Amino acid sequence: MRTRTSAASQQLACCHICLKLAPQDVQDCPRCGSPTHLRKPNSLQRTLALLVTATLLYIPANIFPIMITDQLGTALPSTILGGVILLIELGSAPIAAVIFIASVMIPSGKLMAMYYLCWCAHKGNVKRTKSKSVLYRATEFIGKWSMVDVFVVAILVALVSLGGLLSIQPGIAATAFAAVVIITMVAAESFDPRLLWDEMENTDD
């Protein structure tokens, strides 16, 4: 007796817009007219392509200056980690902590988590599938807040510029980092978490 059955095993496709189930041979959703699929088409391939792009962009985001500090006419470019150290030296440890967590820990964690989930879906690893689903939901949730660091830099630029003696301008790495955040959000959205459960259903047969 099956303990876990999916709509796909019953030849039912899902609409990605209104989530209505329809027979597999029905190409368009009978309710909203959007295309229906058993699983998101080429989910793993598209997700991996986006993750590789985000990983490549994360390199210049860390190598090039993310902000340029102008103090008494002397411009000092800072990378993400350099900016964190500079903010600590300026006595802004809380802001430095926010930037470090949002710019280093969260993006790195998101990339590693998504690579791991893609690997598990590809290999059909059925161990701790429920935990992997929790990991996916956490990754998707965090992705919605990844732009916090970009907003922090923008606010920092506006606030510090009011000082006169000290001003901060965004660097080229800010653009690369914003692209990393957006692409990882799209990657998480393109990943189909139901792939994690498909192999488990086969083992129940």
Side-chain angles (χ1 to χ4, degrees):
M1 178 179 179
R2 290 184 175 181
T3 58
R4 306 175 184 87
T5 56
S6 65
S9 66
Q10 301 178 47
Q11 306 303 313
L12 293 174
C14 179
C15 172
H16 300 296
I17 302 300
C18 69
L19 304 181
K20 180 178 177 57
L21 293 176
Q24 181 182 0
D25 55 352
V26 176
Q27 300 298 319
D28 297 324
C29 175
R31 181 157 59 189
C32 68
S34 301
T36 60
H37 302 285
L38 288 177
R39 295 291 180 261
K40 293 180 180 177
N42 303 317
S43 173
L44 284 181
Q45 292 86 341
R46 286 190 292 114
T47 303
L48 281 173
L50 291 166
L51 289 176
V52 170
T53 303
T55 303
L56 293 176
L57 284 171
Y58 196 49
I59 296 173
N62 282 275
I63 293 177
F64 293 108
I66 195 168
M67 62 182 183
I68 301 172
T69 307
D70 191 340
Q71 187 171 12
L72 298 176
T74 302
L76 178 63
S78 301
T79 61
I80 292 176
L81 290 178
V84 170
I85 296 173
L86 178 63
L87 288 170
I88 294 175
E89 292 175 349
L90 293 174
S92 301
I95 298 176
V98 170
I99 292 180
F100 179 76
I101 292 172
S103 302
V104 178
M105 295 182 65
I106 291 179
S108 302
K110 281 174 54 183
L111 287 172
M112 288 188 289
M114 289 305 302
Y115 275 122
Y116 173 68
L117 292 173
C118 286
W119 179 80
C120 290
H122 175 68
K123 291 294 183 181
N125 189 337
V126 298
K127 295 180 179 178
R128 297 192 293 273
T129 304
K130 189 173 183 179
S131 299
K132 293 168 193 168
S133 293
V134 173
L135 176 63
Y136 172 73
R137 290 199 298 270
T139 304
E140 192 179 31
F141 175 78
I142 291 174
K144 299 175 181 177
W145 297 94
S146 296
M147 276 293 185
V148 167
D149 56 332
V150 178
F151 290 130
V152 168
V153 172
I155 293 173
L156 195 61
V157 168
L159 292 178
V160 176
S161 293
L162 296 177
L165 298 178
L166 178 67
S167 64
I168 294 179
Q169 300 296 326
I172 188 173
T175 303
F177 186 81
V180 170
V181 173
I182 294 172
I183 291 173
T184 52
M185 290 173 64
V186 176
E189 189 65 28
S190 68
F191 180 75
D192 195 335
R194 295 172 296 183
L195 296 173
L196 297 170
W197 295 94
D198 286 347
E199 191 63 27
M200 176 171 284
E201 185 180 39
N202 294 334
T203 60
D204 290 337
D205 290 338

